[in-house]
Amino acid sequence: MDVKQELAGEIDLVTQSILLASSNHDLKALKDLLRDGSANVQDAETGFTPLHAAIAACEDDEELNDQNNMNGKVLDPEEEAAVETVKLLLQNGAIWNDLDKNNETPGCIARRLGLNTLYETMVDAGVRAELLFSKLDEYQPLEDGEDEDEDEDEQQDTQKRDGTEEPTTEPLAEKQHQSEPSIPAAHSDQKDDVTIQKIIDDVSLDNKTYLRSALTFTEDKLLDESANAVMMDWETTIMNRHAEILLPVEGLRALNVGHGMGIVDTAIQSHSPKEHHIIEAHPQVLQQMRDRGWFDKPGVVVHEGRWQDIVPQLVEQGVLFDGIYYDTFAEDYKALRELFSEHVIGLLDPVGGKDGEGGKFSFYNGLGADRQICYDVYTKVSEMDLFEAGFDTGWEDIPVPSNLQDPSNWKDIRRPYWALDKYRLPTCTFIG
Ligand SMILES: C[S@@+](CC[C@H](N)C(=O)[O-])C[C@H]1O[C@@H](n2cnc3c(N)ncnc32)[C@H](O)[C@@H]1O
């Protein structure tokens, strides 16, 4: 046996010992092993990390699962031991959203087994990781000659509707696209080759590239050049409800960011608004809006361009709204956060809305919608960020069509972007 083989054997032994101590919930052994070993080892066959092992071990405890399923929150000593093990692993740097060979994160296993306390522990770990990544990102040093706005534009990800990437060690909301010269898009001079290739293959990875790409309109959906679904008509119930909540009475002032198939704008019109502003940046969508008479509707004002350019102008002009809705495409959570943290305060009338109760802001909540734990993590992260920005947020669950997962619904679409039973609709109002 040569040195390399010997070393590989030793590493394998350490990995197996860590996985075994995790699945036995043996805190003492695990603490010893983690002194030199890593909490992020993975079993070659199952893809289990120590977190997967600690949680999956509860599967054998039938009594525990029965109790959990019946009562929702009975903490059996075995689950308690698993929670302690999971906490120890997380304290030692275990990654919350690694995937096993079954395409499950540790939290997915906890949810499947009905282990609520373990599931919540994993959701909280995800929230902490996301908040930490976003804080770290704020402090990233700028390159020479790079200005802050450009930096924000370069970073893109976790789009809605075009499906999310698989969980990785990277934060959900941040997979940075470095820049480089030859891409046929804005910022092209700052993206590297790999990034350019990725964007050419999938235009939804970069907002400005998407806005220059060709769209396909069909009866029931709108596709981008890379076959991502920009919008689909199964969302009509959701859009109707957004409009109903934002405009509970006639004669209010609405702003919608992102026209798409015009579903939400049609719903807004049905509430007879006094003013109805629409911001849209894609030339083909704008052309279709012209063809369909949106530019001529009484009370409708169409702003052609990116919201990043239009919104500051509206704020400067002092235009106020009773209801603001945001639903764009090929933008990341950071863009949404920028809108509600920096701009909504200047656009939303604090004494607007029904009987002067205050204007309302809402957005399409599709972050992490291809996996329940990611959706739950993002619900908490966005609620915390909204609170920090001065908003109280209420959530309403809306069932999505029960046959949505039927592959026939996703024919010709690059990847399904929705895998959950319920849509969680946010309504944000100013605190106090
Ligand atoms: C998901 S669709 C909106 C669907 C719409 N809610 C509906 O009911 O049909 C997103 C729209 O936002 C537009 N968009 C994307 N990025 C934008 C930006 N930065 N500024 C303005 N509009 C943008 C897209 O061109 C697209 O028309």
Side-chain angles (χ1 to χ4, degrees):
M1 198 190 282
D2 68 11
V3 181
K4 273 189 190 163
Q5 280 175 321
E6 229 174 88
L7 210 60
E10 270 173 40
I11 291 172
D12 197 45
L13 194 66
V14 175
T15 299
Q16 291 311 324
S17 306
I18 293 174
L19 289 168
L20 188 66
S22 302
S23 65
N24 286 340
H25 307 145
D26 183 345
L27 292 181
K28 189 175 168 312
L30 197 53
K31 272 182 197 154
D32 286 345
L33 286 160
L34 291 175
R35 245 177 236 132
D36 296 319
S38 162
N40 289 310
V41 292
Q42 218 160 356
D43 182 69
E45 206 175 301
T46 60
F48 268 22
T49 65
L51 284 173
H52 289 92
I55 295 173
C58 297
E59 185 163 19
D60 303 330
D61 192 340
E62 273 169 26
E63 194 186 323
L64 177 155
N65 294 332
D66 287 349
Q67 281 177 345
N68 263 323
N69 289 338
M70 276 185 305
N71 306 328
K73 228 181 173 164
V74 175
L75 202 54
D76 160 289
E78 191 57 37
E79 188 178 0
E80 212 171 317
V83 170
E84 292 310 313
T85 308
V86 162
K87 284 184 179 165
L88 177 66
L89 290 164
L90 291 168
Q91 281 159 11
N92 281 273
I95 292 162
W96 72 278
N97 59 349
D98 267 334
L99 293 175
D100 65 12
K101 292 270 162 76
N102 244 348
N103 195 30
E104 285 187 311
T105 69
C108 298
I109 298 181
R111 185 166 180 272
R112 174 166 55 75
L113 298 180
L115 303 167
N116 298 327
T117 311
L118 276 167
Y119 182 70
E120 287 306 322
T121 308
M122 290 313 304
V123 170
D124 290 345
V127 171
R128 279 196 303 277
E130 291 307 302
L131 292 175
L132 185 67
F133 274 120
S134 85
K135 283 282 169 227
L136 284 176
D137 184 58
E138 281 171 27
Y139 295 114
Q140 264 181 19
L142 299 177
E143 298 283 324
D144 279 354
E146 195 178 359
D147 84 21
E148 219 165 315
D149 289 346
E150 264 180 39
D151 187 52
E152 297 228 333
D153 269 352
E154 296 307 326
Q155 299 163 1
Q156 188 78 38
D157 168 71
T158 312
Q159 299 90 353
K160 19 151 272 138
R161 298 217 171 84
D162 47 355
T164 47
E165 308 257 330
E166 292 307 338
T168 64
T169 57
E170 296 171 66
L172 285 174
E174 286 297 334
K175 273 160 218 151
Q176 300 196 2
H177 299 156
Q178 288 102 24
S179 329
E180 133 80 73
S182 50
I183 186 144
H187 300 292
S188 53
D189 47 338
Q190 291 170 2
K191 288 179 163 63
D192 68 37
D193 281 347
V194 177
T195 307
I196 291 165
Q197 256 326 310
K198 280 188 184 166
I199 295 173
I200 288 171
D201 177 52
D202 183 351
V203 296
S204 75
L205 292 172
D206 182 81
N207 187 251
K208 290 187 176 176
T209 307
Y210 154 74
L211 290 172
R212 294 156 64 108
S213 76
L215 302 180
T216 306
F217 296 84
T218 70
E219 266 299 288
D220 59 352
K221 56 187 169 292
L222 172 56
L223 299 180
D224 75 6
E225 200 171 300
S226 310
N228 292 298
V230 177
M231 182 66 186
M232 293 172 80
D233 73 350
W234 67 263
E235 295 183 46
T236 300
T237 317
I238 292 169
M239 295 298 138
N240 287 344
R241 186 66 185 140
H242 273 291
E244 193 174 49
I245 289 177
L246 291 177
L247 304 177
V249 291
E250 295 188 351
L252 297 180
R253 300 153 296 173
L255 168 64
N256 174 41
V257 183
H259 179 76
M261 292 173 72
I263 300 174
V264 84
D265 283 315
T266 303
I268 288 172
Q269 280 290 299
S270 74
H271 295 281
S272 312
K274 180 165 75 183
E275 286 174 37
H276 180 177
H277 291 236
I278 304 169
I279 302 177
E280 173 56 49
H282 199 290
Q284 272 178 273
V285 178
L286 285 162
Q287 186 54 50
Q288 191 169 72
M289 289 176 79
R290 260 189 206 94
D291 297 344
R292 294 188 170 174
W294 281 97
F295 282 72
D296 310 318
K297 286 191 199 290
V300 170
V301 184
V302 181
H303 302 272
E304 302 181 49
R306 295 179 79 221
W307 67 263
Q308 289 86 343
D309 300 320
I310 307 285
V311 162
Q313 294 169 19
L314 291 174
V315 173
E316 208 174 294
Q317 290 159 19
V319 183
L320 287 178
F321 298 99
D322 302 290
I324 300 176
Y325 183 60
Y326 168 88
D327 180 9
T328 65
F329 182 75
E331 294 204 294
D332 58 6
Y333 173 64
K334 225 168 135 183
L336 166 65
R337 196 179 58 198
E338 183 194 325
L339 180 77
F340 68 66
S341 304
E342 294 176 27
H343 304 292
V344 173
I345 189 154
L347 291 174
L348 198 60
D349 190 345
V351 290
K354 187 180 164 200
D355 303 327
E357 64 185 5
K360 289 179 190 150
F361 167 66
S362 192
F363 55 91
Y364 176 76
N365 185 20
L367 294 163
D370 60 346
R371 191 178 288 273
Q372 189 67 51
I373 189 161
C374 296
Y375 201 62
D376 292 342
V377 165
Y378 257 100
T379 298
K380 286 197 176 182
V381 169
S382 54
E383 187 171 308
M384 288 161 95
D385 285 338
L386 280 157
F387 188 76
E388 203 174 305
F391 295 100
D392 269 328
T393 306
W395 304 93
E396 179 178 308
D397 280 350
I398 301 182
V400 304
S402 53
N403 67 347
L404 195 59
Q405 292 324 312
D406 184 335
S408 64
N409 287 314
W410 302 98
K411 202 170 150 285
D412 302 331
I413 295 174
R414 189 183 181 100
R415 50 181 115 84
Y417 60 79
W418 198 276
L420 317 176
D421 300 339
K422 287 183 187 127
Y423 174 84
R424 202 173 283 150
L425 185 152
T427 305
C428 314
T429 48
F430 287 125
I431 294 169

